[in-house]
């Protein structure tokens, strides 16, 4: 039975549990258990603090884990990133009071508050900058107002929290992060682990694509096929209507409306887009 770590709370937890449920795995339920055994799929899930997951995985206590790239790197553990999950996207940035002119070079000798001290220290060391780093586990944005720090380094998703505190990011991003699946460095994936990853990828693929069905004249089929090439070519079926065919192809969700516009310009009719639940490529 393989052991997988999942964030125990927060947005990473909610998104991860949703994907695992869609992939056919047993949910956590309402009792907030620290672990759940899924006997049907031979998997045991452990619900841990996102910051601790990389530590357990890197020590080989757990086989794989879902966490944020920023959290995993800040742990300074040895791990391999085996799958990007495409949610929880953010950047790690320095920030200071809006309206003040700051640059990374001006951090020399300053005090920086952050929940990710190792990421900050590594970045400062790479730049040859000496600064004091203070670790705070929450409410980092208020530390400047309270006089605890000169600047902060924090995760920025929409930037709303920074703006509410009168702060603005400066300098290049330190790191781009998102939710990832990690495994202990140097350990190959087992067949059982490959199955888990394949199931998760199936859900992610389904979320990124739509199934498009439409009717088009045979004379325009080649042009329409270039618009909707699908993954290995569209599926084409004859219609009772003379000189027309029915076409089915997967299209990227983000481009679906543009694709439908192009098909309309080619004279296509009855263009229908359908959601996918699971897809294996």
């Amino acid at each position: 039975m393989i052991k997988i770590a999942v964030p125990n709370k927060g947005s990473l937890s909610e998104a991860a549990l949703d994907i695992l449920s869609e992939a056919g795995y047993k949910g956590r339920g309402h009792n907030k258990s620290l672990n759940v055994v899924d006997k049907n799929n031979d998997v045991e899930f452990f619900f841990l603090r996102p910051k601790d997951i990389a530590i357990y995985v890197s020590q080989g206590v757990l086989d794989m884990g879902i966490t944020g790239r920023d959290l995993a790197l800040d742990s300074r553990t040895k791990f391999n990133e085996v799958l990007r999950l495409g949610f929880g996207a953010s950047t790690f940035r320095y920030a200071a009071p809006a309206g003040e002119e700051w640059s990374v070079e001006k951090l020399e000798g300053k005090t920086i508050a952050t929940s990710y001290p190792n990421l900050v220290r590594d970045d400062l060391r790479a730049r040859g900058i000496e600064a004091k780093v203070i670790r705070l586990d929450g409410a980092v944005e208020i530390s400047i107002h309270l006089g605890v720090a000169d600047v902060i380094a924090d995760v920025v998703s929409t930037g709303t929290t920074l703006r509410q505190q009168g702060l603005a990011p400066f300098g290049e991003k330190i790191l781009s992060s998102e939710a990832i699946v990690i495994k202990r460095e140097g350990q190959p994936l087992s067949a059982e682990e490959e199955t888990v990853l394949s199931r998760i990828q199936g859900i992610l693929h389904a979320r990124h694509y739509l199934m498009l069905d439409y009717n088009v004249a045979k004379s325009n089929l080649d042009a329409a096929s270039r618009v909707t090439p699908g993954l290995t070519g569209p599926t084409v079926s004859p219609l009772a209507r003379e000189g027309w065919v029915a076409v089915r192809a997967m299209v990227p969700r983000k481009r679906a409306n543009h694709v439908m516009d192009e098909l309309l310009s080619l004279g296509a009719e009855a263009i229908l887009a359908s959601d996918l639940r699971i897809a294996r490529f």
Side-chain angles (χ1 to χ4, degrees):
M1 180 172 287
I2 61 175
K3 299 177 180 180
I4 301 176
V6 181
N8 63 347
K9 60 181 179 180
S11 57
L12 286 182
S13 176
E14 294 172 5
L17 288 172
D18 186 40
I19 288 175
L20 290 171
S21 176
E22 287 288 320
Y25 293 103
K26 186 176 180 180
R28 190 179 186 185
H30 299 291
N31 57 1
K32 302 299 182 183
S33 299
L34 296 180
N35 68 302
V36 169
V37 177
D38 185 342
K39 293 182 179 180
N40 290 333
N41 292 297
D42 207 28
V43 178
E44 184 172 8
F45 296 101
F46 292 83
F47 301 95
L48 308 171
R49 288 202 323 159
K51 282 192 172 185
D52 297 335
I53 287 175
I55 296 172
Y56 286 106
V57 173
S58 67
Q59 292 180 355
V61 177
L62 300 177
D63 298 298
M64 295 193 299
I66 297 174
T67 187
R69 183 182 294 119
D70 50 358
L71 296 166
L73 290 174
D74 192 64
S75 71
R76 282 183 173 169
T77 58
K78 296 184 181 298
F79 65 90
N80 287 333
E81 181 177 318
V82 294
L83 182 63
R84 297 170 54 185
L85 296 177
F87 63 85
S90 63
T91 58
F92 192 62
R93 303 283 303 275
Y94 293 110
E100 296 184 9
E101 294 185 4
W102 277 89
S103 65
V104 176
E105 290 71 25
K106 290 184 179 181
L107 293 175
E108 183 73 34
K110 297 297 189 292
T111 300
I112 307 168
T114 184
S115 297
Y116 301 79
N118 290 328
L119 282 180
V120 175
R121 291 189 182 107
D122 290 344
D123 183 67
L124 293 173
R125 186 179 300 110
R127 299 173 186 270
I129 296 174
E130 292 284 342
K132 181 179 180 181
V133 179
I134 298 177
R135 175 175 180 168
L136 298 176
D137 285 330
V140 174
E141 296 85 2
I142 200 66
S143 62
I144 298 176
H145 180 71
L146 293 175
V148 174
D150 299 301
V151 302
I152 67 169
D154 203 12
V155 172
V156 180
S157 296
T158 63
T160 300
T161 305
L162 289 181
R163 290 191 293 271
Q164 288 174 343
Q165 296 299 322
L167 305 178
F170 66 88
E172 296 181 359
K173 62 186 177 184
I174 302 171
L175 173 73
S176 292
S177 184
E178 65 178 301
I180 58 174
V181 180
I182 62 172
K183 183 168 176 59
R184 185 181 183 184
E185 185 179 74
Q187 293 292 315
L189 289 167
S190 66
E192 294 79 9
E193 291 165 350
E194 291 277 13
T195 296
V196 174
L197 295 178
S198 178
R199 284 197 187 187
I200 292 175
Q201 284 179 311
I203 304 304
L204 298 178
H205 290 324
R207 292 182 175 184
H208 295 152
Y209 286 86
L210 291 172
M211 183 64 74
L212 209 63
D213 291 273
Y214 61 92
N215 299 334
V216 69
K218 286 184 179 179
S219 58
N220 289 327
L221 178 58
D222 287 344
S225 296
R226 287 192 290 271
V227 176
T228 59
L231 299 180
T232 56
T235 300
V236 180
S237 305
L239 283 176
R241 185 178 179 182
E242 185 68 26
W244 281 67
V245 292
V247 182
R248 164 170 280 199
M250 290 176 63
V251 299
R253 182 179 293 270
K254 290 183 178 180
R255 292 203 65 249
N257 282 296
H258 294 289
V259 170
M260 295 173 85
D261 292 340
E262 292 184 61
L263 292 175
L264 277 175
S265 69
L266 292 172
E269 299 178 357
I271 308 172
L272 304 175
S274 304
D275 280 323
L276 300 171
R277 293 298 299 275
I278 304 173
R280 301 288 182 97
F281 296 164

